Amino acid sequence: MASLTQLPVPPSAPARPAVSPRPRTKGPGRTRPNFLGGLGGWLWLAIIIVPVYYVVMTSLKNQAGFFTSNPMMPPAEPTLDNYKLVLENDFARYFANSLIVTVGSVIPALLVSFMAAYAIVRGKSRFLNWTNNLFLLGLAIPLHATIIPIYWMITRAHMYDTLLALILPSVAFAIPISVLILSNFMRDVPNELFESMRLDGCSDWAMMWRLALPMTRPAVVTVGIYNALGVWNGFLFPLILTQSPETRVLPLSLWTFQGEFSVNIPAVLAAVVLATLPLLVVYVIARRQLLSGLTAGFSK
Amino acid sequence: MSTTSGSSRRALQPGPSGWLAAPALAFFLLFAIIPLIGVLFLSFTSWDGLGEIKLDGLSSWTTVLTDPVTGNALLVTAKIMFFSFIVQAPISLLLGVFTAGGQKYRAALAVLYFVPLLLSSAAVAIAFKALLDPNFGLGAGLGLPFLAQDWLGDSDLVLFVVVFVIAWQFVPFHTLIYQGGVRQIPASLYEAAQIDGAGRVQQFFNITLPQLKYTIITSSTLMVVGSLAYFDLVFVLTGGGPGYATRLLPLHMYLTGFKANDMGAASALGVILVVIGLALALLLQRLGGKNRNASQLEGA
């Protein structure tokens, strides 16, 4: 089951991503340039970039400029007033809320999923088998379907309109995919390594942290990134489980901002830019890790 | 899933305790499985979201099943599922192959391709709402009357606009999955094909496509089951309108529950959503063959 690209490495060294950034595989068509492919590639780039360009340019226009200038042209007099307006409208609080909810969901989800994946892969009991099947079933269920009972539970537990109300279901819904990816990677850790550690008298708890964790690091990173993106950008739970500005997270703030400032399109788009900026910064800094992590996790 | 060596000795070892899986299981039972049972229960009650929950037999089901809006929501969901799959699958596959190539310019393009992954659905929806405005958007900017239509107000066009925006947002993720899949195809296969004189198109159909079988299944499953979850994007972009033109099943459920305050009927819609999701996932698994963990490298 171990793929050829994943060779055993000593447990002390951090495991390499299953797919190295520069693969030996060059893909088809190294002999002569692929003009058709290149054309398609540039076309898709245009499709991706035009909306982004429009949003950034418009966010730098003042309202009068927006109504009079050509929508696709850069502003004659660029202004940051829209950004100021957004920042003055409690942007920092929404940002902090998003950060708390994301970190508060992703770390516990990683921890419990990792432990579960270790038990499922290394253990052999009917209970674990049953647990694994339940998680696999969870992958097929559209989670939106459960919002009404969740709303009922959260209101009953007097957690409505708190950040904890967003964190708890987010953790639960992150578990199935996390366990799946982590256990797929954990199966590729050679059994001999576990055996030799066991002969040295290591407990399962110690093997989990000292062998399984370093060996599955790319998967842990993948799962962390994937879940963080999902929670950070999540909209449905905040929409139904929170209400006041004190608990508002960024995606929901965009929506309410759009309601309040519907005529001021440049300001609404400035809010879009500001809400995306934190992730863009992360992307620029950790791009390689992010992309190779996601690739490794899902193509197994 | 057994490993080649040490299996006989491993049978003597106790293996990790099932308790390691308990925290993940507890979270998942509490916030996913219990709500799943809850949604079935609530579909036999009447509840306005605030007052008491009263058992009400099949009345919610009668309401939902006789309401023409339900049938329409199912139809809209099916259409969006079909069209977004038809649009996304080939584009993601081709872009995945394209970005897996070793060329520098492709790597640079890939960096930009993945920017939509960073945006929340709310942000994407707000950006496109502005961009598609007939007076202040793309059409007016480029001076092309064809692009200056009332994209979101025309009930014949709006469905395809939604499909396009969905593709814009989700193709990057699936491209990433395919890119990872292509990079795991052994270079030896292409080298052998080149020696045999196979052209680029032949290599694509005879090597790349069959080798990507499991990647295609993974990506397609995520795409199809995922299209039951296009809630936030459509909610912010069109609100389900104009009329009922883009009122997808999950959106219909939300509006029935939280806007029309009929939680019983909304729960019945939730049950329908779960059943469709499970049926689709099972169908796709069956189509793809059972042993998904089998090596993709067979015959290499």
Side-chain angles (χ1 to χ4, degrees):
Chain A
M1 246 113 299
S3 57
L4 293 180
T5 44
Q6 262 208 331
L7 297 168
V9 286
S12 54
R16 284 164 47 109
V19 179
S20 58
R22 280 204 66 91
R24 274 176 319 166
T25 318
K26 295 287 197 221
R30 282 298 281 171
T31 40
R32 61 199 159 85
N34 184 346
F35 288 114
L36 213 59
L39 191 70
W42 288 104
L43 187 69
W44 185 253
L45 182 72
I47 292 174
I48 293 295
I49 288 303
V50 166
V52 176
Y53 166 85
Y54 171 81
V55 167
V56 173
M57 284 309 150
T58 309
S59 73
L60 296 170
K61 292 177 182 175
N62 58 33
Q63 229 175 326
F66 172 71
F67 286 121
T68 52
S69 70
N70 183 317
M72 295 312 286
M73 285 304 209
E77 299 158 16
T79 168
L80 289 174
D81 287 353
N82 299 314
Y83 289 89
K84 221 177 109 200
L85 180 68
V86 176
L87 288 172
E88 279 164 2
N89 272 278
D90 272 345
F91 181 85
R93 179 193 283 161
Y94 308 147
F95 175 83
N97 285 343
S98 277
L99 199 63
I100 293 168
V101 172
T102 304
V103 174
S105 310
V106 171
I107 305 269
L110 269 182
L111 194 70
V112 299
S113 304
F114 181 77
M115 286 176 10
Y118 180 82
I120 284 166
V121 170
R122 301 292 306 163
K124 277 181 181 172
S125 72
R126 203 179 267 176
F127 167 72
L128 287 169
N129 215 348
W130 179 82
T131 306
N132 192 30
N133 286 336
L134 193 68
F135 289 155
L136 288 177
L137 183 77
L139 285 174
I141 298 167
L143 303 172
H144 297 69
T146 60
I147 54 170
I148 291 157
I150 285 179
Y151 170 76
W152 179 81
M153 287 166 70
I154 294 290
T155 48
R156 270 311 163 102
H158 301 291
M159 283 194 289
Y160 181 74
D161 208 17
T162 64
L163 293 182
L164 195 61
L166 303 180
I167 291 174
L168 292 176
S170 300
V171 173
F173 287 146
I175 287 171
I177 187 84
S178 307
V179 171
L180 178 74
I181 295 177
L182 290 171
S183 55
N184 273 347
F185 269 73
M186 222 166 295
R187 281 197 185 96
D188 286 347
V189 180
N191 199 31
E192 290 83 352
L193 296 177
F194 287 103
E195 291 300 324
S196 66
M197 276 191 87
R198 193 183 289 285
L199 289 178
D200 287 345
C202 277
S203 66
D204 268 299
W205 185 255
M207 284 196 285
M208 187 166 75
W209 299 118
R210 284 164 49 195
L211 174 62
L213 182 62
M215 292 292 282
T216 54
R217 225 198 59 175
V220 174
V221 172
T222 304
V223 169
I225 292 167
Y226 183 73
N227 290 334
L229 276 174
V231 178
W232 180 271
N233 287 333
F235 184 82
L236 184 61
F237 286 146
L239 180 69
I240 61 161
L241 300 176
T242 66
Q243 191 176 35
S244 61
E246 284 73 35
T247 51
R248 200 172 286 161
V249 291
L250 279 177
L252 198 61
S253 81
L254 287 180
W255 184 63
T256 53
F257 199 73
Q258 188 206 222
E260 286 166 34
F261 294 85
S262 55
V263 268
N264 194 350
I265 303 280
V268 174
L269 293 180
V272 168
V273 175
L274 274 180
T276 312
L277 217 50
L279 284 186
L280 196 68
V281 171
V282 173
Y283 184 62
V284 168
I285 296 170
R287 174 172 51 82
R288 193 147 292 172
Q289 179 89 324
L290 215 140
L291 290 185
S292 70
L294 276 178
T295 321
F298 281 95
S299 45
K300 285 188 72 73
Chain B
M1 251 41 50
S2 68
T3 39
T4 44
S5 64
S7 53
S8 60
R9 201 162 32 160
R10 195 175 148 189
L12 300 173
Q13 301 289 350
S17 157
W19 284 109
L20 286 176
L25 185 64
F27 259 110
F28 192 66
L29 285 177
L30 195 58
F31 289 100
I33 300 300
I34 290 178
L36 206 59
I37 299 164
V39 78
L40 185 64
F41 171 75
L42 287 173
S43 73
F44 298 109
T45 66
S46 70
W47 181 38
D48 62 3
L50 293 167
E52 246 177 276
I53 300 174
K54 288 190 214 82
L55 275 174
D56 204 12
L58 291 171
S59 76
S60 293
W61 282 97
T62 322
T63 313
V64 163
L65 294 176
T66 53
D67 186 0
V69 179
T70 306
N72 183 66
L74 283 169
L75 188 67
V76 170
T77 307
K79 275 186 190 165
I80 290 194
M81 190 180 284
F82 175 76
F83 286 116
S84 64
F85 178 77
I86 291 295
V87 171
Q88 286 185 67
I91 296 179
S92 325
L93 174 61
L94 289 173
L95 284 175
V97 173
F98 178 75
T99 53
Q103 296 89 328
K104 276 232 171 75
Y105 85 99
R106 294 190 182 186
L109 286 183
V111 171
L112 295 167
Y113 286 165
F114 300 127
V115 168
L117 274 181
L118 309 173
L119 275 75
S120 67
S121 296
V124 171
I126 289 172
F128 271 94
K129 230 170 142 173
L131 184 69
L132 294 171
D133 188 286
N135 299 316
F136 305 107
L138 186 64
L142 299 178
L144 296 169
F146 165 72
L147 286 171
Q149 309 203 41
D150 188 8
W151 294 108
L152 297 171
D154 183 327
S155 50
D156 293 327
L157 282 175
V158 70
L159 194 84
F160 297 99
V161 174
V162 167
V163 168
F164 176 82
V165 180
I166 287 170
W168 192 87
Q169 195 188 5
F170 291 101
V171 160
F173 177 69
H174 293 279
T175 300
L176 210 51
I177 296 179
Y178 279 115
Q179 185 193 44
V182 171
R183 283 185 174 166
Q184 288 190 347
I185 301 174
S188 58
L189 292 180
Y190 291 106
E191 283 154 16
Q194 266 160 7
I195 291 167
D196 291 345
R200 184 178 291 133
V201 176
Q202 275 177 307
Q203 286 181 28
F204 178 79
F205 282 106
N206 295 325
I207 301 171
T208 312
L209 220 46
Q211 286 286 316
L212 286 178
K213 187 183 170 199
Y214 294 102
T215 314
I216 293 172
I217 294 166
T218 307
S219 164
S220 303
T221 307
L222 289 173
M223 246 179 230
V224 171
V225 177
S227 58
L228 292 175
Y230 297 144
F231 166 84
D232 29 16
L233 185 78
V234 182
F235 178 69
V236 179
L237 190 66
T238 68
Y244 295 103
T246 53
R247 194 159 162 146
L248 290 152
L249 199 55
L251 191 57
H252 183 42
M253 178 185 74
Y254 170 80
L255 295 172
T256 306
F258 291 90
K259 290 289 167 243
N261 297 323
D262 189 347
M263 293 290 191
S267 299
L269 291 166
V271 173
I272 296 175
L273 205 54
V274 171
V275 170
I276 296 176
L278 281 176
L280 281 173
L282 286 176
L283 185 75
L284 285 161
Q285 290 298 302
R286 191 57 60 84
L287 283 178
K290 276 201 159 170
N291 194 3
R292 290 192 47 214
N293 285 320
S295 174
Q296 295 183 28
L297 298 174
E298 265 164 30

